[in-house]
Amino acid sequence: MFNLLKMEHQKLLYQKSTAALFITLAVISFLLAAVSKQMFTGAGVGENVVGYLSFSTGTLFVLPFFALVIAGAIVANEFNWGTIKFLLIRPKTRSKILAAKFLTALLFGVYFLLVYFLFSVILGIVFFGASIAPDDKLMAESIGLLYLTAFIEIVLISGFAFMISSVFRNSSLAIGLSIVLTFSGKIMVQLMAHYGMNWGKYILFANTNLKQHLEGNRPLFEGMTLGFSLSVLFVYLLVFLLASWAAFTKRDVSI
């Protein structure tokens, strides 16, 4: 499995699109820090690195879409490039190959989180200084929870894109369809919540944002709890992985 993971990492790291994602993340981080500095200075607000880290969590919602690009292409690209036949002649089962690809997609989601966090820390120190206030401990705990909820959303969105990639075998379709369905799904559940359609709480996109269960926030639908959302997400992830496995291992993928 380690060799498979290493091979998948090498494939992704050699792609210009992967470098473009990390560069884009760096640009977003820098622009956010620069604009934040201007905003806080103009408002006469003194801020430190921890305060900026808390502010920067407001853009964590973009990271699942970075991970989606990786997950949506990691299987389909093998068919686009015509390398799937060479991949399957290796003395590894299709299930192991698929597992390595999914784990790699998740790991790149973690890398995006870590890189964004490191950029936020470095830029926060550069723009706001390294001083820490006594009450920053509670804020740091809140930041950690927000990063954890972002990771869980990355796992589910990646699983969704991974399934589409495995089923349709086309990276452009997988990425495009995943983005469209994710955006439209989030809008749809907001509308359902507004009009009191409570069964919308069983839809995936009503549960991916676990921030709604943190203290001080209100769940999107009545009766939703953290345990409920985690259970719904687990069922969806299981369905995504089973569908991906069936599409990759049971169908004639060499055509």
Side-chain angles (χ1 to χ4, degrees):
M1 179 61 74
F2 176 79
N3 287 334
L4 285 173
L5 288 172
K6 181 180 177 181
M7 180 180 68
E8 294 299 330
H9 274 69
Q10 289 173 339
K11 288 180 185 178
L12 287 171
L13 292 174
Y14 285 137
Q15 295 177 29
K16 293 181 180 179
S17 59
T18 304
L21 288 173
F22 283 103
I23 292 172
T24 302
L25 190 58
V27 172
I28 290 173
S29 300
F30 178 79
L31 291 175
L32 179 65
V35 171
S36 301
K37 178 64 174 180
Q38 293 295 323
M39 288 172 53
F40 293 143
T41 301
V45 177
E47 198 56 90
N48 63 2
V49 60
V50 178
Y52 173 70
L53 281 174
S54 178
F55 178 79
S56 68
T57 58
T59 55
L60 282 175
F61 71 92
V62 305
L63 298 187
F65 294 98
F66 282 75
L68 178 156
V69 173
I70 298 293
I74 197 167
V75 174
N77 274 343
E78 300 288 354
F79 295 93
N80 292 346
W81 298 335
T83 55
I84 187 64
K85 294 181 181 179
F86 299 102
L87 182 64
L88 295 181
I89 63 174
R90 294 175 179 271
K92 302 290 184 181
T93 64
R94 294 183 180 185
S95 295
K96 285 186 177 180
I97 292 172
L98 191 69
K101 287 185 174 294
F102 183 64
L103 287 175
T104 300
L106 291 187
L107 285 172
F108 268 81
V110 174
Y111 302 154
F112 288 131
L113 273 176
L114 290 176
V115 168
Y116 182 75
F117 177 75
L118 289 175
F119 278 139
S120 297
V121 171
I122 294 170
L123 291 169
I125 292 173
V126 170
F127 283 94
F128 302 99
S131 62
I132 297 177
D135 59 347
D136 282 342
K137 182 179 179 181
L138 291 175
M139 191 179 293
E141 292 176 354
S142 175
I143 292 169
L145 284 174
L146 291 173
Y147 270 85
L148 178 60
T149 60
F151 169 71
I152 293 174
E153 184 168 7
I154 282 174
V155 172
L156 269 296
I157 298 299
S158 295
F160 179 59
F162 188 80
M163 175 193 68
I164 295 177
S165 178
S166 301
V167 171
F168 292 103
R169 311 179 185 183
N170 183 293
S171 59
S172 298
L173 176 63
I175 295 170
L177 189 59
S178 298
I179 291 174
V180 169
L181 290 178
T182 299
F183 269 118
S184 59
K186 288 177 178 289
I187 294 172
M188 181 179 70
V189 295
Q190 291 286 345
L191 290 173
M192 294 175 74
H194 178 74
Y195 289 106
M197 303 171 68
N198 207 47
W199 59 269
K201 65 184 179 181
Y202 297 103
I203 296 175
L204 169 67
F205 303 107
N207 295 277
T208 51
N209 182 13
L210 295 180
K211 288 191 294 184
Q212 63 185 310
H213 299 298
L214 297 182
E215 186 177 354
N217 293 337
R218 181 181 177 183
L220 194 59
F221 292 94
E222 184 180 352
M224 291 180 65
T225 63
L226 178 60
F228 173 85
S229 289
L230 290 174
S231 299
V232 171
L233 294 178
F234 176 78
V235 172
Y236 272 103
L237 183 60
L238 186 61
V239 170
F240 294 157
L241 294 179
L242 287 175
S244 301
W245 178 80
F248 191 78
T249 63
K250 298 301 183 181
R251 292 164 56 184
D252 185 1
V253 297
S254 63
I255 298 177

